[in-house]
Amino acid sequence: MASEVEYESILCVKPDVIVYRIPPRASNRGYRAADWKLDTPDWTGRLRITAKGKVAYIKLEDKVSGELFAQAPVNEYPGIAVETVSDSSRYFVLRIQDDNGRSAFIGVGFGDRGDSFDFNVALQDHFKWVKQENEIKSSQAADSGPKLDLGFKEGQTITLNIGQGKKRDKPRPQSSGGLGLLPPPPGGKIAPPPSSNHNTVQPSGGAQTECLLELDSSNSNTVVQSNPSSDLWGDFSSSAR
């Protein structure tokens, strides 16, 4: 299968760009545009950003003839191919390369802040698209792998053994009353309930005669023990009989 043909597309065009020769970076603190000779640029022309596949190209061309002055291939952004300066948003550092693979670092700047914003956004949008393309290809590669087949083959059956659950014991009915009857003790006899009518035995004494008379009127079954030595108790027992 023949490889797909990659076409070059134009991402951004800026008619005015300024190029500077910059001194080597002395430390890791980054580039500063104030260190350049901003009043005496080394070259002026136009800038075009193109894309071919996943690689973007920053091309510096002559305004009139369109002749290529230098170009910087960009494989990622932000990265070493395009760096910002620490003291301005209108200036950048490009790593340009020739056909032999030799590279050098130059400074580029824009007179209008809007041009530098468009330059930055064009690179960001391109590599955002590259990231999405890589994610789509990764998901497609994962989906194209062997899938687990859980379907039944022809003539294949399955048997289910459904066992009966244990029977639950029925709850015993409770009596309507609050307290249940206790079983009788083993080998014993049930005592009869106490009688509602008790025989009252009253001790003898002359001081409690009036109380005995009141008890006799309320309960005719009351038996009063009398003292035979007292005539008053003898009259009371004769009348009771």
Side-chain angles (χ1 to χ4, degrees), residues 148-168:
L148 181 61
D149 186 9
L150 299 178
F152 288 100
K153 304 298 187 295
E154 184 178 358
Q156 186 178 5
T157 59
I158 185 171
T159 303
L160 297 177
N161 295 326
I162 302 175
Q164 296 180 355
K166 296 181 179 180
K167 295 183 179 179
R168 297 181 179 179

Side-chain angles (χ1 to χ4, degrees), residues 38-50:
L38 300 179
D39 296 335
T40 56
D42 295 288
W43 185 84
T44 58
R46 74 178 181 188
L47 180 144
R48 276 197 314 141
I49 302 177
T50 62

Side-chain angles (χ1 to χ4, degrees), residues 20-61:
Y20 302 92
R21 291 181 181 178
I22 60 175
R25 181 164 51 183
S27 62
N28 295 328
R29 62 184 176 89
Y31 293 98
R32 296 178 69 252
D35 298 335
W36 309 343
K37 298 178 181 180
L38 300 179
D39 296 335
T40 56
D42 295 288
W43 185 84
T44 58
R46 74 178 181 188
L47 180 144
R48 276 197 314 141
I49 302 177
T50 62
K52 191 173 183 180
K54 298 180 180 181
V55 182
Y57 296 90
I58 301 173
K59 297 183 178 183
L60 304 175
E61 300 171 342

